[in-house]
């Protein structure tokens, strides 16, 4: 399960119960085997990290394009290279980065990236 999409999880869980089985990718082999056995008996399996993420998720304020820009910025890609990769002007990328910083409540781009990652938006 990708931890980057917790806000989408709540509605999906409601539709899948009771036939749901969700584990994070860091589940141990023993947890995986136990989960398969529980599912075969018709029981639900839901990792607590996923459940908490679904219950505490907030809708992210970023547009798809802002998210694309932020993902590249988070990898350390310079604004000029982001512009070239996304077919934007340098100024447009700088504007996106300013809006992202404001929307996340960060004081700097680094803080904006950290906040977006912690919130599961990227």
């Amino acid at each position: 399960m990708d931890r980057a999409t917790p806000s989408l999880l709540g509605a999906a869980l409601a539709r899948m119960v009771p036939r749901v089985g969700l584990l994070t990718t860091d589940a141990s082999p023993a947890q995986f085997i136990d989960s398969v056995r529980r599912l075969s008996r018709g029981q639900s399996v839901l990792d607590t990290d996923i459940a908490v993420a679904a219950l505490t998720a907030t809708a992210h304020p970023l547009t798809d394009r802002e998210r694309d820009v932020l993902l590249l910025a988070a990898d350390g890609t310079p604004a000029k290279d982001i512009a070239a990769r996304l077919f934007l002007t340098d100024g447009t990328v700088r504007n996106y980065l300013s809006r992202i910083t404001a929307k996340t409540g960060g004081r700097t781009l680094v803080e904006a990236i950290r906040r977006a990652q912690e919130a599961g938006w990227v």
Side-chain angles (χ1 to χ4, degrees), residues 18-21 34-45:
R19 60 190 188 283
V20 65
D34 180 58
S35 297
V36 170
R37 288 182 177 145
R38 290 178 58 199
L39 285 169
S40 71
R41 292 190 302 262
Q43 298 174 335
S44 297
V45 175

Side-chain angles (χ1 to χ4, degrees), residues 49-112:
D49 290 341
I50 294 173
V52 169
L55 294 172
T56 60
T58 58
H60 74 78
L62 305 177
T63 65
D64 290 341
R65 192 52 138 183
E66 289 168 342
R67 189 172 180 273
D68 293 341
V69 169
L70 185 59
L71 285 169
L72 290 171
D75 286 340
T77 307
K80 189 172 196 161
D81 293 343
I82 293 171
R85 288 175 75 176
L86 298 179
F87 305 101
L88 301 169
T89 67
D90 295 351
T92 300
V93 170
R94 285 192 302 273
N95 288 339
Y96 276 127
L97 293 173
S98 293
R99 278 197 305 244
I100 290 165
T101 302
K103 284 183 176 184
T104 60
R107 291 178 300 189
T108 65
L109 180 58
V110 172
E111 188 176 345

